[in-house]
Amino acid sequence: MSDGGAVAGPDGLLRCPWGLSAEDYVAYHDEEWGRPVHGDDALFERLCLEAFQSGLSWITILRRREGFRTAFSGFRIAEVARFTDADRERLLGDEGIIRNRAKIDATIANAQVLVDWAPGELDELIWSYAPDPEGRPVPAGTGDVPAVTDESTALSKALKKRGLRFIGPTTAYALMQACGLVDDHVAGCVARGAAR
């Protein structure tokens, strides 16, 4: 496991090492991470959760995902865009989420920007930065997986230029990984290529 290559789980299936590092990760790794996500609200949710994850471990966010969904009206852009100062205060007191004022403010501000976009525009913009899968080497281990790419840097710049906040190149790349724009499951992993 030191090289970050695929590891056999209790069921005998090979997975990315992180996919076996906590019980909560197995289903997320096998059924969600790296699978294509489409739809403005669905991508808004992932964008927000990746921003909340910044500086924390993903397991912290994953374990609170239902709390986030409840607190942020299912991440429906039109509803979050109508949040008021009272909603901000409610969110700052909600123990079911990460109570970080800057991240909460960014989530609401981003919804207020996105509510004016045409339907499908967020989906189209994000997916326009998906690299050609044929040009990407299969990572032998987790050490071969980048934290930032040219595409994630360009996506971050494009989103910031359009008024979105809290989406740096590393967060943009985590979004790309989670939403299937790239397949960073390591060689031999049972989930590698599953969504293609």
Side-chain angles (χ1 to χ4, degrees):
M1 192 163 134
S2 61
D3 68 351
V7 177
D11 56 6
L13 297 176
L14 294 175
R15 290 182 178 84
C16 300
W18 68 264
L20 293 168
S21 62
E23 188 176 323
D24 303 63
Y25 274 151
V26 177
Y28 176 73
H29 169 274
D30 290 2
E31 299 164 18
E32 289 187 64
W33 194 76
R35 307 248 176 171
V37 174
H38 286 282
D40 293 342
D41 289 342
L43 287 165
F44 175 63
E45 174 181 352
R46 298 298 182 91
L47 185 67
C48 294
L49 293 178
E50 293 297 347
F52 271 100
Q53 184 271 328
S54 180
L56 303 169
S57 69
W58 179 247
I59 196 75
T60 302
I61 303 303
L62 191 60
R63 288 178 176 161
R64 295 180 184 209
R65 184 162 56 170
E66 289 310 314
F68 274 107
R69 286 175 173 163
T70 299
F72 286 99
S73 300
F75 290 100
R76 288 180 293 277
I77 295 168
E79 292 184 32
V80 178
R82 291 192 298 267
F83 278 17
T84 64
D85 288 340
D87 290 304
R88 279 185 178 83
E89 292 309 310
R90 170 184 58 81
L91 292 166
L92 285 168
D94 190 334
E95 294 182 5
I97 66 169
I98 304 302
R99 295 173 292 173
N100 177 297
R101 183 178 295 276
K103 293 175 182 182
I104 289 169
D105 287 349
T107 299
I108 296 168
N110 288 346
Q112 290 168 342
V113 168
L114 292 170
V115 76
D116 292 330
W117 290 22
E121 192 172 351
L122 178 62
D123 189 307
E124 184 178 334
L125 176 67
I126 289 173
W127 277 89
S128 72
Y129 288 91
D132 179 358
E134 299 303 317
R136 291 180 51 84
V138 176
T142 54
D144 296 327
V145 177
V148 174
T149 63
D150 291 344
E151 293 88 359
S152 75
T153 300
L155 173 58
S156 170
K157 286 179 181 175
L159 291 169
K160 285 179 180 179
K161 185 176 181 181
R162 300 283 300 271
L164 290 152
R165 297 169 22 194
F166 236 101
I167 179 76
T170 303
T171 299
Y173 194 64
L175 175 77
M176 294 171 78
Q177 291 174 303
C179 295
L181 281 75
V182 296
D183 184 353
D184 277 343
H185 287 285
V186 300
C189 174
V190 66
R192 174 130 192 110
R196 301 274 177 230

